[in-house]
Amino acid sequence: MIDGQLTESDKELFGQGMQFKDFTAQPAQVKTVKLLPQNQSIIEVTIHEGKYHQVKRMFEQVKKTSAPATSGTNWATPIR
C-alpha cells in the first residue's frame, strides 16, 4: 500500500530500472490493484532481485510513501 497514486510517469521509472548510490535496480513491473479511500493505493510490484530494501527505496524515488504489509497478510509471492 502506498500513499497517493502512481502516475504513468512513475510506472515508466519502475519499468526503466532505477539508479541508487549503492546499486542499480533492474526494471520492475508495477500496477495499481485497488484505489482506497484517503488517497491510498494497493500496488503490485514484480521484481527480479531484492536488494537493500529495494521496493521501499523505489517508491521513495517517485515520492511515494509505502506502508509495510499487515502481519499475517501474504502481500508478496516469491518466485524462485
Side-chain angles (χ1 to χ4, degrees):
M1 182 168 57
I2 64 166
D3 290 330
Q5 298 178 19
L6 289 178
T7 65
E8 288 304 314
S9 176
D10 295 338
K11 292 176 184 180
E12 287 176 17
L13 286 173
F14 274 82
Q16 295 170 4
M18 294 183 185
Q19 179 67 46
F20 298 100
K21 275 194 309 191
D22 50 345
F23 74 100
T24 300
Q26 294 181 9
Q29 295 173 338
V30 62
K31 71 176 184 177
T32 301
V33 175
K34 185 175 182 179
L35 298 176
L36 301 172
Q38 300 175 358
N39 196 31
Q40 294 179 323
S41 306
I42 294 177
I43 305 297
E44 179 180 290
V45 179
T46 302
I47 59 174
H48 301 283
E49 60 187 356
K51 296 181 178 180
Y52 315 110
H53 306 281
Q54 174 182 337
V55 172
K56 177 182 173 184
R57 292 170 68 183
M58 292 175 90
F59 280 115
E60 288 171 349
Q61 193 154 333
V62 295
K63 309 291 189 245
K64 303 292 189 273
T65 303
S66 60
T70 305
S71 178
T73 303
N74 184 12
W75 291 96
T77 305
I79 299 173
R80 303 201 188 261

